[in-house]
Amino acid sequence: MTAQPTDTSDSTPTPATKEHPEGERITGAQALIRSLEMEGVDTMFGYPGGCILPAYDPLLESSIRHVLVRHEQGAGHMAEGYAHVSGKPGVAMVTSGPAATNLVTPLMDAYMDSIPMVAITGQVPTAAIGSDAFQECDTVGITRSCTKHNELVMTSQSLPMAIRQAFHIATTGRPGPTLVDVPKDVLVGEMEWYWPTDEEVLASLPGYRPNMKGHPRMVKEAAKLILEAEQPVIYAGGGILKARAAEALAELVELTGIHVVTTLMARGAFPDDHELNLGMPGMHGNATAVTAMQKADLLIALGSRFDDRITGKVDAFAQNAKVIHVDIDPAEQGKVRRPDVPIVGDARLVIEEMIVQIRALLDSGVTQADTGAWKSKVSGWQEQFPMTYEPSEPGAALKPQFCIEQLRDHAPDKTIVASGVGQHQMFASQYWHFNDPYTWVNSGGLGTMGFSIPAAIGAKAAKPDSTVWAIDGDGCFQMTAQELVTASLEGLPIKVALLNNSYLGMVRQWQEMFYDERYSSVFLDSSALPDFVMMAESMGCAAIRVESPEEVGPAIEKANSINDRPVVVEFRTEAAEGVFPMVPAGASNDDVILHPTQQDRKEHLS
Amino acid sequence: MSRVRDYGSNTYPTTDLNHHILSVLVQNRPGVLARVSGLFARRGYNIYSLAVAPAEQEGMSRITIVVDLDSAPLEQVTKQLFKLIDVIKISELDPTHSVERELMIATVKAAGAARGEVQTLTQIFEGKIIAVSEDNLTLSLEGHPDKLDDFEELLDSYGIVELQRTGRVALPKLDRGARLRVAN
Ligand SMILES: Cc1ncc(C[n+]2csc(CCOP(=O)(O)OP(=O)(O)O)c2C)c(N)n1
Ligand SMILES: [Mg+2]
């Protein structure tokens, strides 16, 4: 089967306001689709049904490409993947009841990872609300705690404002998902077209004024601390990417020569190839990144939120460090760790101002403290404790780390990687070299299995010219693989590296380490069933199974050469492989467990 | 007055060191109360009492929340609250610099000799008798929550049949300038 782009896929520019005279009488459905066009939406992901039906009719004439998914969860994750790589809000549209509840997981995922996303859900007619009508559910009630904001629209006339508010809230401040619930009669009813101005939108949201610029006194204070620190570490989080602050961060690093750790959400925010990048910290971070944070005298947290996967046991985390915390969400300040210098603001604007202040101090004769001793200590750790694994024995299953290295080494520049959740996700984050922002798409906060395939499809829709690899596990694959049909039919040829270890590997690892190897409900037997090659082929993909190390490189090359349809490469990997280093949940980062071949020299990590 | 409080019953002291009053101005839109109470539930913050009514500005309501700070630091509570799009303003009212009022109505057993005693008690507290039956009296009392606590405790010995309190409402004191802190 060949991939065929649908005829709506060649998106034409958004129609200008002039084309739509104010006061024109149109239906709510037309107003909804027109509002999405006016917001600059070129692609949306969705699935029709009873209550949202009226909105699907004007879509036929719209410039918006609608990607028809196979499950509403897929639509949500595609919208997230689209947003991850483009920075534009992802849009998902589904019907009421079961479709809306199918969207809950991606909404929560987007909420946890601060992904801008707008969900449109159909709702039963206003008169039927509250009557347990067919496919009625309390969508705004259910999604209240997994959206930044949501709204039930009660009149056709208020649709344009509701859509403008949803986009404004989703994309400003700390980004996040918003949801607009639209009853069927609101779609069918007529309204007089108008497009609210920016001022009207702001005036309609008097309680919403995100603070963009950091407090000047605090930024000055931060600059001073940065120059005084002898063991400073920049703790870069996903906020760097949300704020488009990667360049500003690079400049700050060049100016100060301070090491950077990039969290799971910030991979790519600073190049892995840069000598000052220590890589990923946290539960499965590398020994140097974990230890450098632990021993720092100053942590410069930029768009990061002291997640428990980073801090380990909070009381034992970076005990001697002063903390500068830059975050646009005031509630993150002091939520976990009380900062010495809290700065509420947009990461890019704050970093730029920090740079100005540091330069001013340097110009006025202040000198930066000597970080030489610290730096040689850090490079000592790096030399002694590199990421490592043992190659597979001849004839044995593949090592997942080896597969990732090979994928990485064969990948064209700026390849986008989307991952599922589990061991394969950690291996991907550890072994890939991320050198460009917006090339890593993953579910960090919620840890949603099944994220990678739909997210990769969404990323491919946003960046059709980029190579997009989904790195998936056999467990994850079986949660959302049906979206490969979407990928085939919609002409979104992603590539899937399926690391098949026959297990829920991450859970298996915990049972191995913390439950005396008592394996309970983790064996998926996926070398027997399903036949992933047949399954992939049945969905219009090219499929390759790889079992020995020599086959790995050629299979990847072949996959990279296929661009007319999705490709699935199944790697049969070692079930007993563990992810290291590891800080057990709730333990102190000081008690990081190193790879078995390094554990005996752990005392050198101090 | 020496008082023995019964912490096991439903009589609690309302002026507790760990209770703080938040006066929250919100846009009066559908679901706004659910957003506020949902936030408290989700983040594990305890509400001691809650009173809601339209505020002086058109389209606005004021929610007076007494928060139990054993559950979370006040700063986190106000910051999380302020993230709700419908929340316009949050004032933290220090109990020593604000005026607080609450209304209670209670039906009390008051047959025979008890009747006169309950009546006297109500007079002393400047409450009102608002309904009368052979065996019971229904009383109302408005005032500072502490005063209501005391009254409730005294009534308890006669037997409270039913009791309803509104939860407190509060505004900053006018005199020496209330210490009014606005989040952000
Ligand atoms: C939806 C969902 N259910 C359960 C989990 C718990 N969980 C985390 S990792 C994991 C195993 C994932 O297995 P697989 O996709 O095969 O990846 P592997 O760890 O083997 O690489 C499970 C079950 C989860 N994160 N998400
Ligand atoms: Mg697996």
Side-chain angles (χ1 to χ4, degrees):
Chain A
M1 191 184 305
T2 52
Q4 20 181 273
T6 57
D7 25 358
T8 48
S9 65
D10 51 330
S11 46
T12 44
T14 315
T17 337
K18 320 278 177 292
E19 289 177 29
H20 305 303
E22 203 166 287
E24 185 188 356
R25 286 196 76 78
I26 57 175
T27 65
Q30 288 170 320
L32 170 65
I33 300 302
R34 187 180 284 181
S35 298
L36 295 176
E37 290 167 354
M38 298 287 295
E39 285 291 349
V41 176
D42 54 24
T43 308
M44 63 200 274
F45 307 90
Y47 207 76
C51 289
I52 197 69
L53 250 173
Y56 271 80
D57 189 70
L59 208 48
L60 285 172
E61 275 84 49
S62 173
S63 59
I64 299 173
R65 171 185 192 179
H66 179 270
V67 174
L68 176 62
V69 302
R70 292 299 178 273
H71 186 295
E72 288 89 355
Q73 184 189 355
H77 292 320
M78 285 179 207
E80 290 187 84
Y82 177 96
H84 254 285
V85 300
S86 70
K88 297 206 302 179
V91 180
M93 181 162 84
V94 305
T95 194
S96 65
T101 56
N102 275 346
L103 210 54
V104 167
T105 300
L107 285 171
M108 190 64 212
D109 194 89
Y111 192 51
M112 289 290 258
D113 287 348
S114 307
I115 309 296
M117 169 178 168
V118 176
I120 318 270
T121 48
Q123 183 54 276
V124 300
T126 46
I129 289 177
S131 71
D132 302 318
F134 178 63
Q135 294 194 329
E136 175 180 8
C137 78
D138 175 15
T139 303
V140 289
I142 290 171
T143 61
R144 196 170 283 135
S145 63
C146 58
T147 53
K148 187 173 169 188
H149 191 61
N150 63 14
E151 207 65 65
L152 170 64
V153 182
M154 291 299 279
T155 64
S156 315
Q157 195 59 34
S158 50
L159 266 168
M161 181 58 104
I163 294 294
R164 285 222 67 183
Q165 289 175 337
F167 276 81
H168 178 66
I169 294 169
T171 54
T172 52
R174 179 176 184 170
T178 55
L179 179 141
V180 185
D181 197 25
V182 194
K184 191 168 189 179
D185 56 324
V186 171
L187 291 171
V188 172
E190 283 204 339
M191 56 89 70
E192 288 179 6
W193 172 253
Y194 76 108
W195 188 238
T197 62
D198 291 353
E199 293 71 43
E200 285 167 339
V201 175
L202 287 183
S204 73
L205 299 167
Y208 181 67
R209 295 284 180 275
N211 193 38
M212 296 295 284
K213 285 189 65 181
H215 194 291
R217 192 167 47 83
M218 290 295 168
V219 179
K220 263 193 195 137
E221 183 61 29
K224 210 172 120 247
L225 281 187
I226 288 172
L227 291 182
E228 283 167 6
E230 289 171 7
Q231 311 188 6
V233 172
I234 293 175
Y235 158 31
I240 294 286
L241 294 169
K242 304 299 169 351
R244 322 303 282 179
E247 272 175 44
L249 172 60
E251 196 181 335
L252 178 66
V253 177
E254 291 312 327
L255 178 65
T256 58
I258 295 176
H259 285 119
V260 184
V261 297
T262 49
T263 68
L264 183 66
M265 292 308 297
R267 305 293 288 131
F270 187 70
D272 274 339
D273 287 352
H274 195 290
E275 56 170 6
L276 288 170
N277 193 344
L278 303 180
M280 181 174 77
M283 180 176 268
H284 289 298
N286 73 77
T288 305
V290 171
T291 309
M293 284 183 94
Q294 203 61 353
K295 310 261 183 234
D297 67 353
L298 177 68
L299 283 180
I300 307 156
L302 305 174
S304 44
R305 61 181 178 89
F306 297 84
D307 180 82
D308 54 275
R309 275 350 193 206
I310 296 293
T311 61
K313 188 174 173 215
V314 175
D315 299 339
F317 174 67
Q319 283 172 327
N320 300 322
K322 289 195 170 168
V323 170
I324 298 168
H325 193 177
V326 178
D327 203 295
I328 196 155
D329 180 355
E332 288 303 338
Q333 306 283 353
K335 187 182 80 178
V336 176
R337 169 81 175 238
R338 183 145 295 282
D340 298 272
V341 183
I343 305 176
V344 177
D346 173 83
R348 184 175 63 79
L349 297 178
V350 173
I351 295 171
E352 284 170 0
E353 187 54 29
M354 249 180 206
I355 292 169
V356 171
Q357 294 303 333
I358 292 170
R359 287 224 167 90
L361 283 175
L362 292 172
D363 289 347
S364 73
V366 176
T367 51
Q368 185 172 5
D370 182 7
T371 57
W374 168 247
K375 283 193 171 155
S376 53
K377 205 175 209 179
V378 170
S379 10
W381 295 331
Q382 282 183 305
E383 268 161 44
Q384 291 209 54
F385 302 99
M387 288 302 304
T388 186
Y389 66 94
E390 288 181 288
S392 57
E393 301 288 335
L398 297 165
K399 285 299 174 95
Q401 301 95 325
F402 173 74
C403 300
I404 307 261
E405 285 177 331
Q406 291 290 306
L407 282 161
R408 173 194 76 199
D409 293 343
H410 286 87
D413 255 9
K414 305 206 175 178
T415 292
I416 293 167
V417 183
S419 90
V421 168
Q423 291 186 316
H424 61 280
Q425 172 190 30
M426 291 301 125
F427 290 134
S429 180
Q430 290 175 334
Y431 283 89
W432 203 272
H433 293 166
F434 295 98
N435 284 316
D436 297 288
Y438 315 110
T439 55
W440 169 240
V441 182
N442 99 120
S443 166
L446 196 62
T448 309
M449 283 177 68
F451 178 79
S452 73
I453 288 178
I457 294 171
K460 184 76 182 170
K463 301 264 176 214
D465 298 329
S466 298
T467 299
V468 181
W469 271 104
I471 295 180
D472 217 1
D474 48 315
C476 288
F477 186 88
Q478 292 182 73
M479 288 203 170
T480 50
Q482 76 279 4
E483 298 306 340
L484 286 171
V485 177
T486 310
S488 290
L489 293 175
E490 291 276 347
L492 297 166
I494 62 161
K495 304 178 197 306
V496 182
L498 170 52
L499 300 184
N500 180 4
N501 56 7
S502 288
Y503 274 93
L504 297 173
M506 186 57 95
V507 184
R508 184 195 176 283
Q509 179 174 350
W510 285 48
Q511 290 180 348
E512 179 184 334
M513 295 173 70
F514 311 119
Y515 292 86
D516 295 328
E517 301 180 31
R518 284 162 53 85
Y519 299 115
S520 174
S521 297
V522 287
F523 181 51
L524 294 177
D525 207 0
S526 7
S527 58
L529 282 179
D531 182 324
F532 287 116
V533 168
M534 276 172 68
M535 189 176 170
E537 283 174 350
S538 78
M539 293 187 284
C541 306
I544 308 168
R545 178 173 295 129
V546 181
E547 281 164 304
S548 68
E550 334 56 90
E551 296 169 341
V552 171
I556 293 169
E557 274 171 26
K558 180 160 179 225
N560 280 335
S561 73
I562 298 173
N563 287 311
D564 62 344
R565 71 194 107 161
V567 191
V568 175
V569 186
E570 179 198 355
F571 299 94
R572 290 288 174 91
T573 58
E574 174 57 52
E577 192 66 17
V579 184
F580 292 102
M582 176 174 194
V583 180
S588 158
N589 284 348
D590 289 331
D591 300 326
V592 56
I593 302 169
L594 301 175
H595 190 271
T597 59
Q598 296 178 339
Q599 186 66 14
D600 58 343
R601 42 194 154 102
K602 206 190 144 207
E603 72 271 13
H604 298 293
L605 255 189
S606 58
Chain B
M1 192 192 305
S2 89
R3 306 191 311 183
V4 184
R5 288 197 183 275
D6 174 13
Y7 291 95
S9 81
N10 57 359
T11 316
Y12 301 105
T14 51
T15 311
D16 189 300
L17 275 184
N18 274 329
H19 284 172
H20 268 243
I21 311 165
L22 294 178
S23 176
V24 185
L25 189 69
V26 298
Q27 274 188 296
N28 188 3
R29 310 182 54 210
V32 62
L33 187 58
R35 287 187 206 279
V36 171
S37 58
L39 176 92
F40 274 75
R42 176 162 71 96
R43 298 218 176 247
Y45 308 153
N46 290 334
I47 297 180
Y48 178 75
S49 81
L50 182 94
V52 198
E56 62 286 355
Q57 293 112 303
E58 175 86 24
M60 301 285 170
S61 284
R62 182 167 279 111
I63 305 181
T64 310
I65 311 174
V66 180
V67 191
D68 179 355
L69 292 186
D70 284 339
S71 58
L74 185 68
E75 185 190 318
Q76 262 300 302
V77 177
T78 54
K79 282 175 166 178
Q80 294 291 354
L81 260 181
F82 203 63
K83 280 169 72 171
L84 296 177
I85 309 290
D86 293 336
V87 170
I88 309 289
K89 188 175 153 188
I90 304 171
S91 313
E92 178 198 336
L93 301 178
D94 178 336
T96 58
H97 291 93
S98 56
V99 284
E100 301 166 50
R101 284 295 176 271
E102 190 174 358
L103 174 67
M104 170 206 291
I105 50 178
T107 297
V108 185
K109 285 189 192 145
R115 203 171 190 85
E117 291 177 26
V118 171
Q119 264 177 290
T120 313
L121 208 57
T122 308
Q123 267 166 18
I124 295 171
F125 274 84
E126 297 175 314
K128 287 192 184 116
I129 298 173
I130 54 176
V132 185
S133 77
E134 252 168 50
D135 301 329
N136 297 333
L137 290 174
T138 301
L139 317 166
S140 79
L141 180 66
E142 169 271 336
H144 192 278
D146 284 353
K147 182 178 167 187
L148 269 59
D149 286 349
D150 293 344
F151 188 52
E152 184 180 334
E153 195 186 313
L154 289 165
L155 291 180
D156 208 25
S157 55
Y158 297 94
I160 294 173
V161 181
E162 269 183 298
L163 181 141
Q164 174 69 56
R165 293 173 65 157
T166 57
R168 80 179 68 185
V169 291
L171 285 176
K173 256 187 198 167
L174 288 182
D175 48 6
R176 279 160 286 147
R179 209 196 65 188
L180 180 129
R181 243 194 47 201
V182 180
N184 303 297

